[in-house]
Amino acid sequence: MNSVINDKIRQVERIHLANLPTPIFPLKTVSKELSRNIWIKRDDFTGVEMSGNKVRKLEFSIAQAMQQGADVLLTAGGIQSNHARATAAAAARLGLKSHLVLEISKAPKAEGNYLLDQMLGAKITLLDENAGISFSEKLAELAESYRLEGHVPYIIPVGASNGIGNFGYLNAFDEILAQEEELGIRFDAIVCAAGSGGTYSGLYLGNKLTKSGRKIVGITVCDNKDYFTKVCTGIVNETLSLLGEEKDPAPEFTFIDGYKGLGYAISKADELKFISDIAAKEGIILDPVYTGKAFYGLYNEVLKGTFEDCHNILFIHTGGQYGLFPKQGQLEEVL
Ligand SMILES: *Cc1c(COP(=O)(O)O)cnc(C)c1O
């Protein structure tokens, strides 16, 4: 591995938390069904407690926090946030405190990620979705109270999707290029779910900096194309300025809308049925909030001809399986 990215990343502070590289393998049944080579990269294998995509970003965010002498990591997300759980796990492993702000619409049950957050010793503030206060306001308020107590807090934004966290998927792109060489394959398209935009931004920037010419596709599981174009332009440019590179005023992103279904983290029967079918066909468990919707999107878009010019397609499994357990009742209905 001696690419442009690798040289740049070596200059950025990083701690190693994830099991890397994560494996890539073909999906035999789905490939046959779609008459296309569909491969999967198992970023759900990055670890057990820190499983999924967020740990790649946290390797850089937490390195920066520690460099600043932080002893408390503050972050936020939905009640079943994978990112919040990965942050709590990383903090516990590193001997730091964690404080999570989790948004709720009703009194939460101790299940899935929220149960794990408590086991991992995180301090938790529940924020009602109608409270009229944003994550960033609440995090700033908590940080201030920690400062007054003599702590050094560090705020990680939702999903660790900012300029520094973005190095996680910039690095993953480099990893994919090296794996392509080993496998003797070239992926025409790389597809992921877009939730807070960091995974997509990192892959996009990797493709751009190495002039690899791949199609990088984000399937939106909340908000829409316009929102992600704005957010990811910000993230990409933050990383470019950390690298001392020129800004990219109008990046050419490819986002696909139409698969968020009833809304963020809300499942429909057809989505859960699809997840269950893939499990039986391929022995792979997708999650209901991100990868289930995104892979459902990819599957349908290939059938519609959107990927006509792409022979080899890589889907990134970004994790999230703990989020299935709170959907147990709904899942039982589709089995
Ligand atoms: C957060 C998350 C995503 C979305 O990644 P972003 O970088 O936030 O866009 C996808 N899959 C899982 C399982 C996640 O937890």
Side-chain angles (χ1 to χ4, degrees):
M1 272 208 282
N2 223 341
S3 81
V4 190
I5 303 177
N6 212 9
D7 294 341
K8 290 182 190 299
I9 284 191
R10 256 192 246 115
Q11 296 156 25
V12 183
E13 201 71 30
R14 175 185 184 183
I15 48 168
H16 291 274
L17 294 168
N19 290 314
L20 302 177
T22 56
I24 291 180
F25 51 79
L27 296 180
K28 298 230 166 68
T29 307
V30 169
S31 294
K32 211 175 282 168
E33 287 173 356
L34 297 176
S35 312
R36 214 57 60 91
N37 300 322
I38 310 287
W39 296 66
I40 194 160
K41 181 164 176 64
R42 301 299 302 269
D43 273 10
D44 53 326
F45 284 13
T46 48
V48 171
E49 300 84 0
M50 295 178 222
S51 62
N53 58 346
K54 300 309 178 318
V55 62
R56 285 191 186 266
K57 313 183 202 184
L58 290 172
E59 288 193 342
F60 293 92
S61 311
I62 299 178
Q64 186 177 68
M66 292 174 84
Q67 223 177 3
Q68 294 175 10
D71 61 349
V72 191
L73 302 178
L74 299 170
T75 199
I79 186 69
Q80 285 296 331
S81 167
N82 299 304
H83 163 69
R85 179 254 309 148
T87 303
R93 196 179 299 176
L94 296 165
L96 305 170
K97 286 183 199 307
S98 64
H99 193 140
L100 312 175
V101 175
L102 302 177
E103 189 178 70
I104 53 166
S105 56
K106 56 177 195 282
K109 272 198 227 159
E111 59 188 0
N113 286 303
Y114 179 52
L115 173 66
L116 298 177
D117 295 340
Q118 296 172 56
M119 293 173 68
L120 291 161
K123 206 157 180 238
I124 296 169
T125 298
L126 297 174
L127 189 64
D128 192 279
E129 64 179 5
N130 299 316
I133 169 164
S134 70
F135 280 145
S136 52
E137 287 167 331
K138 191 71 200 172
L139 290 168
E141 186 185 301
L142 288 170
E144 188 51 29
S145 61
Y146 274 107
R147 255 178 239 115
L148 290 172
E149 289 170 11
H151 288 285
V152 182
Y154 180 92
I155 295 176
I156 302 172
V158 172
S161 290
N162 61 357
I164 188 77
N166 202 21
F167 283 103
Y169 272 85
L170 193 53
N171 192 48
F173 187 83
D174 204 42
E175 191 177 296
I176 292 167
L177 291 185
Q179 288 176 301
E180 280 187 331
E181 254 175 63
E182 278 167 35
L183 294 164
I185 191 168
R186 182 188 194 276
F187 298 115
D188 305 304
I190 302 176
V191 182
C192 67
S196 60
T199 303
Y200 183 86
S201 299
L203 295 171
Y204 172 86
L205 195 56
N207 187 48
K208 186 185 147 80
L209 291 175
T210 56
K211 302 186 171 65
S212 294
R214 313 310 167 83
K215 194 168 180 165
I216 309 291
V217 181
I219 300 189
T220 60
V221 301
C222 55
D223 300 290
N224 58 30
K225 258 186 222 182
D226 291 347
Y227 170 83
F228 281 103
T229 300
K230 203 168 125 233
V231 167
C232 294
T233 301
I235 299 171
V236 162
N237 281 316
E238 226 185 288
T239 308
L240 284 171
S241 75
L242 287 172
L243 289 169
E245 299 269 336
E246 235 176 85
K247 290 204 175 178
D248 186 349
E252 284 172 35
F253 298 136
T254 308
F255 290 113
I256 296 178
D257 286 341
Y259 298 96
K260 75 172 173 187
L262 298 175
Y264 176 72
I266 307 172
S267 295
K268 283 196 298 187
D270 61 333
E271 294 161 3
L272 296 176
K273 178 81 173 75
F274 178 80
I275 289 173
S276 164
D277 288 348
I278 293 293
K281 276 191 259 197
E282 298 282 358
I284 288 175
I285 308 288
L286 298 168
D287 86 288
V289 181
Y290 301 96
T291 56
K293 290 182 182 185
F295 199 66
Y296 191 41
L298 172 60
Y299 194 99
N300 283 293
E301 291 295 315
V302 171
L303 289 177
K304 278 199 325 202
T306 309
F307 288 85
E308 203 64 82
D309 52 343
C310 302
H311 202 65
N312 298 316
I313 302 174
L314 179 67
F315 179 76
I316 316 277
H317 191 327
T318 38
Q321 286 97 337
Y322 298 120
L324 270 177
F325 298 98
K327 306 273 185 195
Q328 191 179 336
Q330 236 189 317
L331 266 164
E332 272 170 349
E333 284 171 27
V334 303
L335 293 179

